[in-house]
Amino acid sequence: GAFYEYKKETLTNFPLVSVLLRTYAGREIFLKEAVTSVLNQTYQNYEVIIVEDGGNSLENILLEFNDTRIKYYSASKVGRCVTGNIALEGSSGRYCIFLDDDDYYYCDHLETLVSEIDSFDDSIQAVYANAFELKTSVKKTINQIVGYREGEFVLHGGYLQDFNRLRMWKTNYIPIQCILFSRSLYLEYGGFNLQLDNLEDWNLWTRYSAITNFKYVPKTTSVYRVPLDV
């Protein structure tokens, strides 16, 4: 993103952004890093909606951050789609963005995306940036991640092009934390499909992209993890 023209001057009213994060017990080491990456954003008008699937073991850890922008919910073991919809329902921002608990943002992630989407009219209701893939091998006990080992950062060439709706419908090529979207899309067209066990984000983007254009931002602003040994 060295040649990305930053549009900071377009930000005039700093709309609220809802960062939506799903997690579950044993993920403390990653969850702390993910939440810290949000709290370190240069763009500060946000809320963090965190939903723990299967209990409330992580609530005290989140209280340690002592930040009123963090809103915590717990649910019985209901799965990724239900917890994602709980987060969407609890959001109140003009824009929403997901963050998996083992991924993280660079400090300018929200500022870059908000300044971009806020410079368009309603014809653009979703924007996305590049992300590094980071292969990671975790060390864990029966129920707890206690450490990890990382490989190299990789930027896949598939990101480096303008949005293509037909490609979106064919390939799940945009990581979930890359996309900032108008909350009005959720209010009008719903959240995750509860009949899915995986790829729920791809289903969401294909549905939303049938309604609105997405805008590509040629800057790398986040990191997502994949297994190191696969």
Side-chain angles (χ1 to χ4, degrees):
F3 301 101
Y4 168 70
E5 182 180 358
Y6 185 50
K7 298 183 178 182
K8 185 174 182 178
E9 67 277 2
T10 65
L11 278 175
T12 56
N13 56 358
F14 299 95
L16 180 66
V17 175
S18 298
V19 179
L20 313 177
L21 199 156
R22 302 168 288 179
T23 190
Y24 55 91
R27 308 280 292 178
E28 290 89 340
I29 190 171
F30 283 147
L31 179 63
K32 287 181 179 180
E33 292 182 2
V35 173
T36 298
S37 78
V38 180
L39 299 182
N40 286 337
Q41 290 297 296
T42 54
Y43 187 90
Q44 287 287 295
N45 191 23
Y46 58 79
E47 59 181 3
V48 190
I49 311 295
I50 299 175
V51 184
E52 181 179 353
D53 189 17
N56 61 353
S57 64
L58 302 173
E59 183 174 12
N60 288 335
I61 291 173
L62 296 171
L63 289 173
E64 293 175 3
F65 285 103
N66 192 29
D67 196 307
T68 57
R69 292 171 296 185
I70 298 176
K71 301 178 181 180
Y72 170 83
Y73 299 86
S74 64
S76 58
K77 195 64 177 175
V78 290
R80 294 172 54 83
C81 290
V82 173
T83 52
N85 286 345
I86 292 172
L88 283 164
E89 184 177 353
S91 66
S92 55
R94 181 189 300 178
Y95 303 117
C96 293
I97 187 167
F98 286 98
L99 176 62
D100 283 349
D101 62 1
D102 57 348
D103 301 335
Y104 58 89
Y105 300 154
Y106 289 139
C107 65
D108 59 350
H109 185 60
L110 295 183
E111 187 170 13
T112 299
L113 294 177
V114 173
S115 64
E116 190 74 40
I117 196 171
D118 220 39
S119 66
F120 290 96
D121 57 26
D122 289 341
S123 64
I124 300 291
Q125 297 188 60
V127 298
Y128 65 98
N130 298 328
F132 282 124
E133 176 186 280
L134 179 59
K135 292 186 175 181
T136 305
S137 176
V138 299
K139 179 181 179 180
K140 61 189 301 185
T141 61
I142 295 176
N143 297 313
Q144 183 83 27
I145 294 174
V146 296
Y148 58 84
R149 178 171 59 92
E150 296 178 337
E152 296 181 350
F153 290 88
V154 177
L155 182 62
H156 292 289
Y159 297 123
L160 309 180
Q161 58 184 272
D162 289 337
F163 178 67
N164 185 307
R165 181 175 283 102
L166 294 179
R167 187 180 182 209
M168 165 69 77
W169 293 351
K170 182 179 180 181
T171 307
N172 184 26
Y173 74 99
I174 306 176
I176 190 171
Q177 85 287 344
C178 292
I179 299 178
L180 178 87
F181 60 97
S182 172
R183 184 169 173 266
S184 63
L185 291 172
Y186 159 68
L187 294 176
E188 188 166 357
Y189 303 105
F192 291 127
N193 184 339
L194 300 183
Q195 296 181 345
L196 299 176
D197 294 324
N198 52 50
L199 297 178
E200 71 282 355
D201 54 328
W202 186 21
N203 175 269
L204 192 71
W205 306 142
T206 56
R207 285 160 44 210
Y208 287 175
S209 66
I211 304 302
T212 182
N213 292 316
F214 285 36
K215 177 68 169 61
Y216 167 60
V217 180
K219 186 175 177 64
T220 304
T221 58
S222 66
V223 174
Y224 69 99
R225 299 182 189 272
V226 298
L228 178 61
D229 302 322
V230 174

